[in-house]
């Protein structure tokens, strides 16, 4: 299973503008890239906070993709569960991936947020990372990964400037053998 993490960040590594969720601060080119890569995948994995911010819960879209949404509280989302399209799970990342492989999925997108990026990286389950760096800095906001003592080594594969303002799209391969936990950190 090939997992591709997709993230938009400021120059200083923030994925939200302070407490505010959503993507009002990202460029048109980043939205276009996200649309394009979503079309190339039929599996999306995210945390419940990103799910709540990304979708109108009154009118969930009719989707041809499987969305796996991680939560500790499946009953809270029982009304949104639609097998094959929107599935809520409290399984750990390895169990999630094993289950998806058994169902025939070969690749998927990891759409965040910080806690889900961190979990999958710590579990050595991310293969590729696309990062959009917007030419901005936010003093406050969530970071791409959580503040935990670990290191991930990457290899840069592509660099593209996508607009005149200076939004940069980067593609990295994760050097999975080199993810280092500096001390005991929670894995599930
Ligand atoms: N700039 C970007 O590219 C980008 C991308 C994605 C998201 N975002 C932003 O990031 C923010 C959300 O990030 P976040 O880190 O706060 O939240 P998140 O990762 O989207 O979701 C966190 C939730 O996931 C569930 N979860 C986490 N670990 C779990 C585990 N081990 N087992 C089961 N469920 C687990 C929990 O849900 P329950 O509370 O339901 O138990 C937790 O509250 C939003 O503001 C969003 O707009 C930005």
């Amino acid at each position: 299973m090939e997992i591709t993490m997709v993230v938009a960040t400021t120059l200083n590594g923030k994925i939200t503008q302070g407490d505010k969720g959503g993507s009002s601060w990202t460029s048109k080119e980043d939205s276009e890239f996200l649309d394009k890569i979503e079309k190339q995948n039929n599996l999306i994995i995210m945390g419940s906070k990103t799910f709540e911010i990304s979708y109108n819960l009154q009118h969930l879209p009719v989707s041809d993709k499987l969305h796996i949404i991680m939560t500790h509280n499946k009953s809270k989302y029982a009304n949104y569960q639609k097998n094959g399209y929107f599935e809520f799970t409290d399984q750990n990342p390895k169990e999630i991936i094993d289950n998806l492989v058994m169902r025939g999925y070969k690749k998927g997108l990891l759409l965040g947020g910080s806690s889900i990026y961190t979990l999958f990286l710590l579990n050595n389950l991310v293969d590729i990372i696309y990062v959009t760096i917007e030419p901005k800095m936010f003093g406050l906001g969530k970071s791409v990964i959580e503040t935990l003592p670990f290191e991930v080594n990457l290899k840069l594969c592509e660099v593209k400037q996508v607009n005149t303002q200076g939004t940069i799209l980067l593609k990295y391969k994760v050097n999975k053998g080199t993810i280092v936990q500096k001390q005991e950190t929670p894995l599930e």
Side-chain angles (χ1 to χ4, degrees):
M1 168 77 94
E2 183 180 82
I3 295 293
T4 300
M5 166 175 156
V6 182
V7 61
T9 169
T10 64
L11 182 60
N12 61 324
K14 299 295 183 197
I15 66 162
T16 65
Q17 191 170 26
D19 287 343
K20 209 166 74 179
S23 55
S24 55
W25 57 275
T26 58
S27 58
K28 169 172 80 59
E29 290 76 13
D30 177 62
S31 307
E32 288 167 358
F33 172 70
L34 193 58
D35 283 351
K36 188 174 117 193
I37 198 161
E38 283 190 10
K39 285 200 178 91
Q40 296 164 356
N41 282 272
N42 61 356
L43 168 65
I44 286 173
I45 302 170
M46 64 179 75
S48 69
K49 289 192 180 146
T50 296
F51 167 74
E52 290 205 18
I53 280 162
S54 305
Y55 293 101
N56 175 352
L57 299 189
Q58 310 304 319
H59 299 286
L60 274 187
V62 179
S63 179
D64 56 350
K65 296 180 201 315
L66 172 60
H67 298 69
I68 297 289
I69 298 118
M70 291 187 73
T71 176
H72 296 104
N73 189 359
K74 284 193 334 179
S75 57
K76 179 178 167 194
Y77 297 99
N79 289 341
Y80 306 111
Q81 172 85 17
K82 201 172 168 206
N83 291 345
Y85 300 100
F86 289 94
E87 297 183 5
F88 296 82
T89 181
D90 54 9
Q91 288 183 317
N92 69 44
K94 282 199 173 88
E95 290 169 334
I96 291 174
I97 296 299
D98 287 348
N99 178 267
L100 290 166
V101 169
M102 275 190 336
R103 292 166 69 179
Y105 287 91
K106 294 191 165 53
K107 62 174 187 167
L109 292 183
L110 189 68
L111 292 193
S114 305
S115 66
I116 301 305
Y117 294 143
T118 305
L119 260 182
F120 275 73
L121 284 165
L122 277 173
N123 279 279
N124 252 301
L125 291 169
V126 179
D127 298 280
I128 292 165
I129 304 180
Y130 279 103
V131 186
T132 299
I133 302 184
E134 297 291 1
K136 292 173 186 290
M137 292 193 277
F138 297 149
L140 295 176
K142 280 196 166 278
S143 300
V144 177
I145 51 173
E146 291 183 335
T147 309
L148 288 172
F150 75 107
E151 247 177 60
V152 180
N153 290 289
L154 309 170
K155 183 171 192 304
L156 182 63
C157 305
E158 277 176 38
V159 179
K160 213 190 285 177
Q161 180 172 337
V162 295
N163 59 27
T164 53
Q165 190 67 28
T167 299
I168 309 283
L169 177 64
L170 304 172
K171 179 183 180 183
Y172 289 97
K173 237 180 132 161
V174 179
N175 192 346
K176 285 168 105 173
T178 67
I179 296 174
V180 183
Q181 283 178 251
K182 297 294 189 183
Q183 61 185 55
E184 192 83 0
T185 49
L187 285 174
E188 292 176 9

Coordinates of all heavy atoms in Angstrom, one line a residue, residues 91-176:
Q91 N -9.6 2.0 14.9 CA -8.5 1.1 14.8 C -7.2 1.9 14.7 O -7.2 3.1 14.4 CB -8.6 0.3 13.4 CG -9.7 -0.7 13.4 CD -9.7 -1.5 12.1 OE1 -9.6 -0.9 11.1 NE2 -9.9 -2.8 12.2
N92 N -6.1 1.2 15.0 CA -4.8 1.9 14.9 C -4.3 2.0 13.4 O -4.9 1.2 12.6 CB -3.7 1.3 15.9 CG -3.3 0.0 15.5 OD1 -3.1 -0.3 14.3 ND2 -3.2 -0.9 16.4
P93 N -3.4 2.8 13.1 CA -3.0 2.9 11.7 C -2.6 1.6 11.0 O -3.1 1.4 9.8 CB -1.8 3.9 11.7 CG -2.0 4.7 12.9 CD -2.6 3.8 13.9
K94 N -1.9 0.7 11.7 CA -1.5 -0.5 11.0 C -2.8 -1.4 10.7 O -2.9 -2.0 9.7 CB -0.5 -1.3 11.9 CG 0.9 -0.7 11.9 CD 1.9 -1.8 12.4 CE 3.3 -1.3 12.1 NZ 3.8 -0.5 13.2
E95 N -3.7 -1.4 11.7 CA -4.9 -2.2 11.5 C -5.7 -1.6 10.3 O -6.3 -2.4 9.5 CB -5.8 -2.2 12.8 CG -5.2 -3.0 13.9 CD -5.9 -2.7 15.2 OE1 -6.5 -1.7 15.4 OE2 -5.9 -3.6 16.1
I96 N -5.7 -0.3 10.3 CA -6.5 0.4 9.2 C -5.9 -0.1 7.8 O -6.6 -0.5 6.9 CB -6.4 1.9 9.3 CG1 -7.2 2.3 10.5 CG2 -6.9 2.6 8.1 CD1 -7.1 3.8 10.9
I97 N -4.6 0.0 7.7 CA -3.9 -0.3 6.4 C -4.1 -1.8 6.1 O -4.4 -2.1 5.0 CB -2.4 0.1 6.5 CG1 -2.3 1.7 6.6 CG2 -1.7 -0.3 5.2 CD1 -3.0 2.5 5.5
D98 N -3.9 -2.6 7.1 CA -4.0 -4.1 6.8 C -5.4 -4.4 6.3 O -5.6 -5.1 5.3 CB -3.8 -4.9 8.1 CG -2.4 -4.9 8.5 OD1 -1.5 -4.5 7.7 OD2 -2.1 -5.4 9.6
N99 N -6.4 -3.8 6.9 CA -7.8 -4.0 6.5 C -8.0 -3.5 5.0 O -8.7 -4.1 4.2 CB -8.7 -3.2 7.5 CG -10.2 -3.4 7.1 OD1 -10.7 -2.5 6.4 ND2 -10.8 -4.4 7.5
L100 N -7.5 -2.3 4.7 CA -7.6 -1.7 3.4 C -6.9 -2.6 2.3 O -7.5 -2.8 1.2 CB -7.1 -0.3 3.3 CG -7.9 0.7 4.1 CD1 -7.1 2.0 4.4 CD2 -9.2 1.0 3.4
V101 N -5.8 -3.1 2.7 CA -5.1 -4.0 1.8 C -5.9 -5.2 1.5 O -6.1 -5.7 0.3 CB -3.7 -4.4 2.3 CG1 -3.0 -5.5 1.5 CG2 -2.7 -3.2 2.4
M102 N -6.5 -5.8 2.5 CA -7.4 -7.0 2.3 C -8.6 -6.6 1.4 O -9.0 -7.5 0.7 CB -7.9 -7.4 3.7 CG -7.0 -8.4 4.4 SD -7.6 -9.2 5.8 CE -8.9 -8.3 6.4
R103 N -9.0 -5.4 1.5 CA -10.1 -5.0 0.6 C -9.7 -4.6 -0.8 O -10.5 -4.2 -1.6 CB -10.8 -3.8 1.3 CG -11.5 -4.2 2.6 CD -12.0 -3.0 3.4 NE -13.1 -2.3 2.8 CZ -13.6 -1.2 3.4 NH1 -13.2 -0.8 4.5 NH2 -14.6 -0.5 2.7
G104 N -8.3 -4.7 -1.0 CA -7.9 -4.5 -2.4 C -7.3 -3.1 -2.7 O -6.9 -2.8 -3.8
Y105 N -7.3 -2.2 -1.7 CA -6.7 -0.9 -2.0 C -5.2 -0.9 -2.1 O -4.6 -1.6 -1.3 CB -7.2 0.1 -0.9 CG -8.6 0.4 -0.9 CD1 -9.6 -0.3 -0.3 CD2 -9.1 1.5 -1.8 CE1 -10.9 0.0 -0.4 CE2 -10.4 1.8 -1.9 CZ -11.3 1.0 -1.2 OH -12.7 1.3 -1.3
K106 N -4.7 -0.2 -3.1 CA -3.2 -0.3 -3.3 C -2.6 1.1 -3.0 O -1.4 1.2 -2.8 CB -3.0 -0.6 -4.8 CG -3.4 -2.1 -5.1 CD -2.9 -2.5 -6.4 CE -3.0 -4.0 -6.6 NZ -4.3 -4.5 -6.4
K107 N -3.4 2.1 -3.0 CA -2.8 3.5 -2.6 C -3.9 4.4 -2.0 O -5.1 4.1 -2.2 CB -2.2 4.1 -3.9 CG -3.2 4.4 -5.0 CD -2.6 5.2 -6.1 CE -3.6 5.6 -7.1 NZ -3.2 6.6 -8.1
G108 N -3.4 5.4 -1.3 CA -4.3 6.3 -0.7 C -3.7 7.6 -0.3 O -2.4 7.7 -0.3
L109 N -4.5 8.6 0.0 CA -4.0 9.9 0.4 C -4.3 10.1 1.9 O -5.3 9.7 2.4 CB -4.8 11.0 -0.3 CG -4.7 11.1 -1.8 CD1 -5.5 12.4 -2.3 CD2 -3.2 11.3 -2.2
L110 N -3.3 10.7 2.5 CA -3.4 11.0 3.9 C -3.5 12.5 4.0 O -2.6 13.3 3.7 CB -2.1 10.6 4.6 CG -2.1 10.6 6.2 CD1 -3.1 9.6 6.7 CD2 -0.7 10.4 6.7
L111 N -4.7 13.0 4.4 CA -5.0 14.4 4.3 C -5.0 15.2 5.7 O -5.4 16.3 5.7 CB -6.4 14.6 3.6 CG -6.5 14.2 2.2 CD1 -7.8 14.8 1.5 CD2 -5.3 14.8 1.4
G112 N -4.5 14.5 6.7 CA -4.3 15.3 7.9 C -5.4 15.1 9.0 O -6.2 14.2 8.8
G113 N -5.4 15.9 10.0 CA -4.4 17.0 10.3 C -3.1 16.5 11.0 O -2.7 15.4 10.8
S114 N -2.6 17.4 11.8 CA -1.3 17.2 12.4 C -1.3 15.8 13.1 O -0.3 15.1 13.1 CB -1.0 18.2 13.5 OG -1.1 19.4 13.1
S115 N -2.4 15.5 13.9 CA -2.3 14.3 14.7 C -2.3 13.0 13.8 O -1.6 12.1 14.1 CB -3.5 14.2 15.7 OG -4.7 14.1 15.0
I116 N -2.9 13.1 12.7 CA -3.0 11.9 11.8 C -1.7 11.8 11.0 O -1.1 10.7 10.8 CB -4.2 12.0 10.9 CG1 -5.5 12.0 11.8 CG2 -4.3 10.9 9.9 CD1 -5.7 10.9 12.8
Y117 N -1.1 12.9 10.6 CA 0.2 12.9 9.9 C 1.2 12.3 10.8 O 2.0 11.4 10.5 CB 0.7 14.3 9.6 CG -0.1 15.1 8.5 CD1 -0.3 16.5 8.7 CD2 -0.6 14.5 7.4 CE1 -0.9 17.2 7.7 CE2 -1.3 15.3 6.4 CZ -1.5 16.6 6.6 OH -2.1 17.4 5.7
T118 N 1.2 12.7 12.1 CA 2.2 12.3 13.1 C 2.0 10.7 13.3 O 3.0 10.0 13.3 CB 2.0 13.0 14.4 OG1 2.0 14.4 14.1 CG2 3.0 12.7 15.4
L119 N 0.8 10.3 13.5 CA 0.5 8.9 13.8 C 1.1 8.0 12.6 O 1.7 7.0 12.9 CB -1.0 8.6 13.8 CG -1.7 8.5 15.1 CD1 -3.2 8.3 14.9 CD2 -1.1 7.4 16.0
F120 N 0.7 8.4 11.4 CA 1.1 7.5 10.3 C 2.7 7.6 10.1 O 3.3 6.6 9.7 CB 0.4 7.9 9.0 CG -1.0 7.2 8.9 CD1 -2.0 7.6 9.8 CD2 -1.2 6.2 8.1 CE1 -3.2 7.0 9.7 CE2 -2.4 5.5 8.0 CZ -3.4 5.9 8.9
L121 N 3.3 8.8 10.3 CA 4.7 8.8 10.1 C 5.4 8.0 11.2 O 6.3 7.2 10.9 CB 5.2 10.3 10.3 CG 4.9 11.2 9.0 CD1 5.1 12.6 9.3 CD2 5.9 10.8 7.9
L122 N 4.9 8.1 12.4 CA 5.5 7.3 13.5 C 5.4 5.8 13.3 O 6.2 5.0 13.8 CB 4.9 7.7 14.9 CG 5.4 8.9 15.5 CD1 4.6 9.3 16.8 CD2 6.9 8.7 16.0
N123 N 4.3 5.4 12.6 CA 4.1 4.0 12.3 C 4.8 3.6 11.0 O 4.5 2.5 10.5 CB 2.6 3.7 12.3 CG 2.1 3.5 13.7 OD1 2.2 2.5 14.3 ND2 1.5 4.6 14.2
N124 N 5.6 4.5 10.4 CA 6.3 4.1 9.2 C 5.4 3.8 8.0 O 5.7 2.9 7.2 CB 7.2 2.9 9.4 CG 8.6 3.2 9.5 OD1 9.2 3.7 8.5 ND2 9.2 3.0 10.6
L125 N 4.3 4.5 7.9 CA 3.3 4.1 6.9 C 3.2 5.2 5.8 O 2.3 5.1 5.0 CB 1.9 3.9 7.6 CG 1.8 2.7 8.5 CD1 0.5 2.7 9.3 CD2 1.9 1.4 7.6
V126 N 4.0 6.2 5.8 CA 3.9 7.2 4.8 C 5.1 7.0 3.8 O 6.2 6.8 4.1 CB 4.0 8.6 5.3 CG1 3.9 9.7 4.2 CG2 2.9 8.8 6.4
D127 N 4.7 7.0 2.5 CA 5.7 6.7 1.4 C 6.1 8.0 0.7 O 7.3 8.2 0.4 CB 5.1 5.8 0.4 CG 4.8 4.4 1.0 OD1 5.7 3.6 1.2 OD2 3.6 4.2 1.3
I128 N 5.2 8.9 0.4 CA 5.4 10.1 -0.4 C 4.8 11.3 0.4 O 3.7 11.1 1.0 CB 4.8 9.9 -1.8 CG1 5.6 8.8 -2.5 CG2 4.8 11.2 -2.6 CD1 4.9 8.4 -3.8
I129 N 5.4 12.4 0.3 CA 4.8 13.6 0.9 C 4.8 14.7 -0.2 O 5.9 15.0 -0.7 CB 5.6 14.1 2.1 CG1 5.7 13.0 3.2 CG2 5.0 15.3 2.7 CD1 6.5 13.4 4.5
Y130 N 3.7 15.3 -0.4 CA 3.6 16.5 -1.2 C 3.3 17.6 -0.2 O 2.4 17.6 0.6 CB 2.4 16.4 -2.2 CG 2.6 15.7 -3.4 CD1 2.1 14.4 -3.6 CD2 3.4 16.2 -4.5 CE1 2.4 13.7 -4.8 CE2 3.6 15.5 -5.6 CZ 3.1 14.2 -5.8 OH 3.4 13.5 -6.9
V131 N 4.2 18.6 -0.3 CA 4.1 19.8 0.5 C 3.9 21.1 -0.3 O 4.7 21.3 -1.2 CB 5.3 20.1 1.4 CG1 5.1 21.2 2.4 CG2 5.8 18.8 2.1
T132 N 2.8 21.8 -0.1 CA 2.7 23.1 -0.7 C 3.2 24.1 0.3 O 2.7 24.2 1.4 CB 1.3 23.4 -1.1 OG1 0.8 22.5 -2.0 CG2 1.1 24.8 -1.7
I133 N 4.2 24.9 0.0 CA 4.7 25.9 0.9 C 4.1 27.3 0.4 O 4.5 27.7 -0.7 CB 6.2 26.0 1.0 CG1 6.7 24.6 1.5 CG2 6.6 27.1 2.0 CD1 8.2 24.6 1.7
E134 N 3.2 27.8 1.2 CA 2.7 29.1 0.8 C 3.6 30.2 1.3 O 4.2 30.1 2.4 CB 1.3 29.3 1.4 CG 0.2 28.3 0.9 CD -0.2 28.5 -0.5 OE1 0.4 29.4 -1.2 OE2 -1.0 27.8 -1.0
P135 N 3.8 31.3 0.6 CA 4.7 32.4 1.0 C 4.1 33.2 2.1 O 3.7 34.4 1.9 CB 4.9 33.2 -0.3 CG 3.7 32.9 -1.1 CD 3.2 31.6 -0.7
K136 N 4.0 32.6 3.3 CA 3.4 33.2 4.5 C 4.0 32.7 5.7 O 4.6 31.6 5.7 CB 1.9 32.9 4.6 CG 1.0 33.4 3.5 CD -0.4 32.8 3.7 CE -1.3 33.2 2.5 NZ -1.7 34.7 2.5
M137 N 3.9 33.4 6.8 CA 4.3 32.9 8.1 C 3.2 33.2 9.1 O 2.7 34.4 9.1 CB 5.6 33.5 8.6 CG 6.8 33.1 7.7 SD 8.4 33.5 8.4 CE 8.6 35.2 7.9
F138 N 2.8 32.3 9.9 CA 1.8 32.5 11.0 C 2.5 32.3 12.3 O 3.1 31.3 12.5 CB 0.6 31.6 10.9 CG -0.2 31.7 9.6 CD1 -0.8 30.5 9.1 CD2 -0.4 32.9 8.9 CE1 -1.6 30.6 8.0 CE2 -1.1 32.9 7.8 CZ -1.7 31.8 7.3
G139 N 2.4 33.3 13.2 CA 3.0 33.1 14.5 C 2.3 32.0 15.3 O 2.9 31.3 16.1
L140 N 0.9 31.9 15.1 CA 0.1 30.9 15.8 C -0.5 29.9 14.8 O -0.8 30.3 13.7 CB -1.0 31.6 16.6 CG -0.6 32.5 17.7 CD1 -1.8 33.2 18.3 CD2 0.2 31.8 18.8
G141 N -0.6 28.7 15.2 CA -1.3 27.7 14.4 C -0.7 26.3 14.7 O 0.3 26.2 15.4
K142 N -1.4 25.3 14.1 CA -0.9 24.0 14.3 C 0.3 23.7 13.4 O 0.3 24.2 12.3 CB -2.0 23.0 13.9 CG -3.0 22.8 14.9 CD -3.9 21.6 14.7 CE -4.7 21.3 16.0 NZ -4.0 20.5 17.0
S143 N 1.2 22.9 13.8 CA 2.3 22.5 13.0 C 2.0 21.3 12.2 O 1.1 20.6 12.5 CB 3.5 22.3 13.9 OG 3.8 23.4 14.7
V144 N 2.8 21.1 11.2 CA 2.6 19.9 10.3 C 2.6 18.7 11.1 O 1.7 17.8 11.0 CB 3.7 19.8 9.2 CG1 3.5 18.6 8.4 CG2 3.8 21.1 8.3
I145 N 3.6 18.5 12.0 CA 3.5 17.4 12.9 C 3.5 17.8 14.4 O 3.9 19.0 14.7 CB 4.7 16.4 12.7 CG1 6.1 17.2 12.7 CG2 4.6 15.6 11.4 CD1 7.3 16.3 12.6
E146 N 3.1 16.9 15.2 CA 3.0 17.3 16.6 C 4.4 17.4 17.3 O 5.4 16.8 16.8 CB 2.2 16.3 17.4 CG 0.7 16.4 16.9 CD -0.2 15.4 17.6 OE1 0.2 14.4 18.1 OE2 -1.4 15.8 17.7
T147 N 4.5 18.1 18.4 CA 5.7 18.3 19.1 C 6.1 17.0 19.9 O 5.7 16.9 21.0 CB 5.6 19.5 20.1 OG1 5.1 20.6 19.3 CG2 6.9 19.9 20.7
L148 N 6.7 16.1 19.2 CA 7.1 14.9 19.8 C 8.6 14.6 19.4 O 9.0 15.1 18.3 CB 6.3 13.7 19.3 CG 4.8 13.6 19.8 CD1 4.1 12.5 19.0 CD2 4.8 13.3 21.3
P149 N 9.3 13.9 20.2 CA 10.7 13.7 19.8 C 11.0 12.6 18.8 O 11.3 11.5 19.1 CB 11.4 13.3 21.2 CG 10.2 12.7 21.9 CD 9.0 13.3 21.5
F150 N 10.7 12.9 17.5 CA 11.1 12.0 16.5 C 11.6 12.7 15.3 O 11.4 13.9 15.1 CB 9.9 11.1 16.1 CG 8.8 11.7 15.3 CD1 8.6 11.3 14.0 CD2 7.9 12.5 15.9 CE1 7.6 11.9 13.3 CE2 6.9 13.1 15.2 CZ 6.7 12.7 13.8
E151 N 12.3 12.0 14.4 CA 12.9 12.5 13.2 C 12.5 11.7 12.0 O 12.4 10.5 12.1 CB 14.4 12.3 13.3 CG 15.2 13.6 13.5 CD 16.7 13.2 13.7 OE1 17.3 12.5 12.8 OE2 17.2 13.5 14.8
V152 N 12.2 12.4 10.9 CA 11.9 11.7 9.6 C 12.9 12.2 8.6 O 13.0 13.4 8.4 CB 10.5 12.0 9.2 CG1 10.1 11.3 7.9 CG2 9.5 11.6 10.3
N153 N 13.5 11.3 7.8 CA 14.4 11.7 6.8 C 13.8 11.5 5.4 O 13.1 10.5 5.2 CB 15.7 11.0 6.9 CG 16.5 11.4 8.1 OD1 17.0 12.5 8.1 ND2 16.5 10.6 9.1
L154 N 14.0 12.5 4.6 CA 13.2 12.6 3.3 C 14.2 12.8 2.1 O 15.3 13.3 2.3 CB 12.3 13.8 3.3 CG 11.3 13.9 4.5 CD1 10.6 15.2 4.5 CD2 10.3 12.8 4.5
K155 N 13.7 12.4 0.9 CA 14.5 12.7 -0.3 C 13.7 13.6 -1.2 O 12.5 13.2 -1.5 CB 14.9 11.4 -1.0 CG 15.8 11.7 -2.2 CD 16.3 10.3 -2.7 CE 17.4 10.5 -3.7 NZ 17.1 11.4 -4.9
L156 N 14.2 14.7 -1.5 CA 13.4 15.6 -2.4 C 13.4 15.0 -3.8 O 14.4 14.7 -4.4 CB 14.1 17.0 -2.4 CG 13.5 18.1 -3.3 CD1 12.1 18.4 -2.7 CD2 14.4 19.3 -3.3
C157 N 12.2 15.0 -4.4 CA 12.1 14.4 -5.8 C 11.7 15.5 -6.8 O 12.0 15.3 -8.0 CB 11.0 13.3 -5.8 SG 11.2 12.0 -4.6
E158 N 10.9 16.5 -6.4 CA 10.4 17.5 -7.3 C 10.2 18.8 -6.6 O 9.8 18.9 -5.5 CB 9.0 17.1 -7.9 CG 9.0 16.1 -9.0 CD 7.5 15.7 -9.4 OE1 6.6 16.6 -9.3 OE2 7.3 14.5 -9.7
V159 N 10.5 19.9 -7.4 CA 10.3 21.2 -6.9 C 9.6 22.0 -8.0 O 10.1 22.0 -9.2 CB 11.6 22.0 -6.6 CG1 11.4 23.4 -6.1 CG2 12.5 21.2 -5.6
K160 N 8.5 22.7 -7.7 CA 7.8 23.4 -8.7 C 7.3 24.7 -8.1 O 6.6 24.7 -7.1 CB 6.6 22.6 -9.2 CG 6.3 22.8 -10.7 CD 5.0 22.2 -11.1 CE 5.1 20.7 -11.2 NZ 3.8 20.1 -11.6
Q161 N 7.6 25.9 -8.7 CA 6.9 27.1 -8.3 C 5.6 27.2 -9.1 O 5.6 27.1 -10.3 CB 7.8 28.3 -8.6 CG 7.1 29.6 -8.2 CD 8.0 30.8 -8.3 OE1 9.2 30.7 -8.2 NE2 7.4 32.0 -8.4
V162 N 4.5 27.4 -8.4 CA 3.2 27.2 -9.1 C 2.4 28.5 -9.3 O 1.4 28.6 -10.0 CB 2.3 26.2 -8.4 CG1 2.9 24.8 -8.4 CG2 2.0 26.6 -6.9
N163 N 3.0 29.7 -8.8 CA 2.4 31.0 -9.1 C 3.4 32.1 -8.9 O 4.5 31.8 -8.4 CB 1.1 31.2 -8.3 CG 1.4 31.2 -6.8 OD1 2.5 31.5 -6.3 ND2 0.4 30.9 -6.0
T164 N 3.1 33.3 -9.3 CA 4.1 34.4 -9.3 C 4.3 34.9 -7.9 O 5.4 35.4 -7.6 CB 3.6 35.6 -10.2 OG1 2.3 35.9 -9.8 CG2 3.6 35.2 -11.6
Q165 N 3.4 34.6 -7.0 CA 3.5 35.0 -5.6 C 4.7 34.2 -4.9 O 5.3 34.6 -4.0 CB 2.2 34.8 -4.9 CG 2.1 35.4 -3.5 CD 2.2 36.9 -3.5 OE1 1.7 37.5 -4.4 NE2 2.7 37.5 -2.4
G166 N 4.9 33.0 -5.5 CA 5.9 32.1 -4.9 C 5.5 30.9 -4.2 O 6.2 30.4 -3.3
T167 N 4.3 30.4 -4.4 CA 3.9 29.2 -3.8 C 4.7 28.0 -4.4 O 4.8 28.0 -5.7 CB 2.4 28.9 -4.1 OG1 1.6 30.0 -3.4 CG2 1.9 27.6 -3.5
I168 N 5.2 27.2 -3.6 CA 6.1 26.1 -4.0 C 5.5 24.8 -3.7 O 5.0 24.6 -2.6 CB 7.5 26.2 -3.3 CG1 8.1 27.6 -3.3 CG2 8.4 25.1 -3.8 CD1 8.8 27.9 -4.6
L169 N 5.5 23.9 -4.7 CA 5.0 22.5 -4.5 C 6.3 21.6 -4.5 O 7.0 21.6 -5.4 CB 4.1 22.1 -5.6 CG 3.6 20.7 -5.5 CD1 2.7 20.4 -4.3 CD2 2.7 20.3 -6.7
L170 N 6.4 20.9 -3.4 CA 7.5 19.9 -3.3 C 7.0 18.5 -3.2 O 6.0 18.3 -2.6 CB 8.3 20.3 -2.0 CG 8.8 21.7 -1.8 CD1 9.4 21.9 -0.4 CD2 9.9 22.0 -2.8
K171 N 7.8 17.6 -3.7 CA 7.5 16.2 -3.6 C 8.7 15.5 -2.9 O 9.8 15.6 -3.4 CB 7.2 15.5 -4.9 CG 6.9 14.0 -4.8 CD 6.6 13.4 -6.2 CE 6.3 11.9 -6.0 NZ 6.2 11.3 -7.3
Y172 N 8.4 14.8 -1.8 CA 9.5 14.1 -1.1 C 9.1 12.6 -1.1 O 8.0 12.2 -1.0 CB 9.6 14.5 0.3 CG 10.1 15.9 0.5 CD1 9.3 17.0 0.7 CD2 11.5 16.1 0.6 CE1 9.8 18.3 0.9 CE2 12.0 17.4 0.8 CZ 11.2 18.4 0.9 OH 11.7 19.7 1.2
K173 N 10.2 11.8 -1.1 CA 10.0 10.4 -0.8 C 10.5 10.2 0.7 O 11.5 10.8 1.1 CB 11.0 9.5 -1.7 CG 10.2 8.5 -2.5 CD 11.2 7.7 -3.3 CE 10.8 6.3 -3.1 NZ 11.2 5.4 -4.0
V174 N 9.7 9.4 1.4 CA 10.1 9.2 2.8 C 11.1 8.0 2.9 O 10.9 7.0 2.3 CB 8.9 8.8 3.7 CG1 9.3 8.5 5.2 CG2 7.8 9.9 3.6
N175 N 12.2 8.3 3.6 CA 13.2 7.3 3.8 C 12.8 6.5 5.0 O 13.2 6.8 6.1 CB 14.6 8.0 4.0 CG 15.7 7.0 3.9 OD1 15.5 5.8 3.9 ND2 16.9 7.5 3.8
K176 N 12.0 5.5 4.7 CA 11.2 4.8 5.9 C 12.1 4.2 6.9 O 11.8 4.1 8.0 CB 10.2 3.8 5.3 CG 9.0 4.5 4.7 CD 8.2 3.6 3.9 CE 6.9 3.2 4.6 NZ 6.0 2.4 3.8

